Amino acid sequence: MICPDIRRQRLIIEGFYELQTMDEHCVRNFLAGLTDHLGMTRIAETLVFSPDAVSDLHHGVGGFQAWAESGCSLYTWSASRFFTLDVYSCKAFDVARCVDFVCTQFNAQSFEVREV
């Protein structure tokens, strides 16, 4: 392992959300809730974005939350109601607790989890 003295934990959750809407407000609230739920330290305002106006490949809304411990990124695809969440941290976090929070918030019944 390269640089073993730096602790790193990465989790990717992908699935289908069953919310009525996935908009900027929803993404902002989700990332704030996840930050608190995992006990991370917010160091910047949440970045929320949508490539809709400039992309033929990706339509949806996404966001990034920077943490003192690292950060997380969320991407959604509105047509398929699909999401990808990438969580990266130098501080240990409980994977099962994170997955439970995500699936509850997104009402996700179909999802996959990968620890990298």
Side-chain angles (χ1 to χ4, degrees):
M1 171 189 247
I2 191 167
C3 207
D5 56 319
I6 298 176
R7 185 190 202 313
R8 303 177 300 279
Q9 184 175 2
R10 186 169 183 200
L11 177 67
I12 299 170
I13 305 171
E14 295 186 315
F16 296 95
Y17 62 87
E18 296 189 20
L19 303 176
Q20 291 299 316
T21 59
M22 180 66 77
D23 58 15
E24 180 177 323
H25 179 73
C26 181
V27 169
R28 190 174 304 283
N29 286 342
F30 168 77
L31 291 172
L34 182 64
T35 297
D36 295 341
H37 194 74
L38 296 181
M40 300 299 177
T41 309
R42 205 175 283 106
I43 59 170
E45 291 298 315
T46 305
L47 172 65
V48 178
F49 52 86
S50 176
D52 288 3
V54 296
S55 175
D56 292 331
L57 298 174
H58 181 192
H59 293 280
V61 62
F64 173 75
Q65 181 62 64
W67 300 329
E69 301 82 5
S70 286
C72 62
S73 299
L74 174 68
Y75 307 93
T76 69
W77 287 259
S78 55
S80 58
R81 303 175 74 79
F82 181 74
F83 72 89
T84 295
L85 176 70
D86 188 355
V87 180
Y88 181 83
S89 179
C90 295
K91 172 184 168 185
F93 62 89
D94 185 321
V95 170
R97 194 166 143 75
C98 182
V99 171
D100 182 60
F101 179 83
V102 172
C103 292
T104 298
Q105 294 299 306
F106 288 164
N107 194 21
Q109 306 301 312
S110 177
F111 60 92
E112 292 182 353
V113 176
R114 287 190 306 276
E115 290 185 73
V116 180

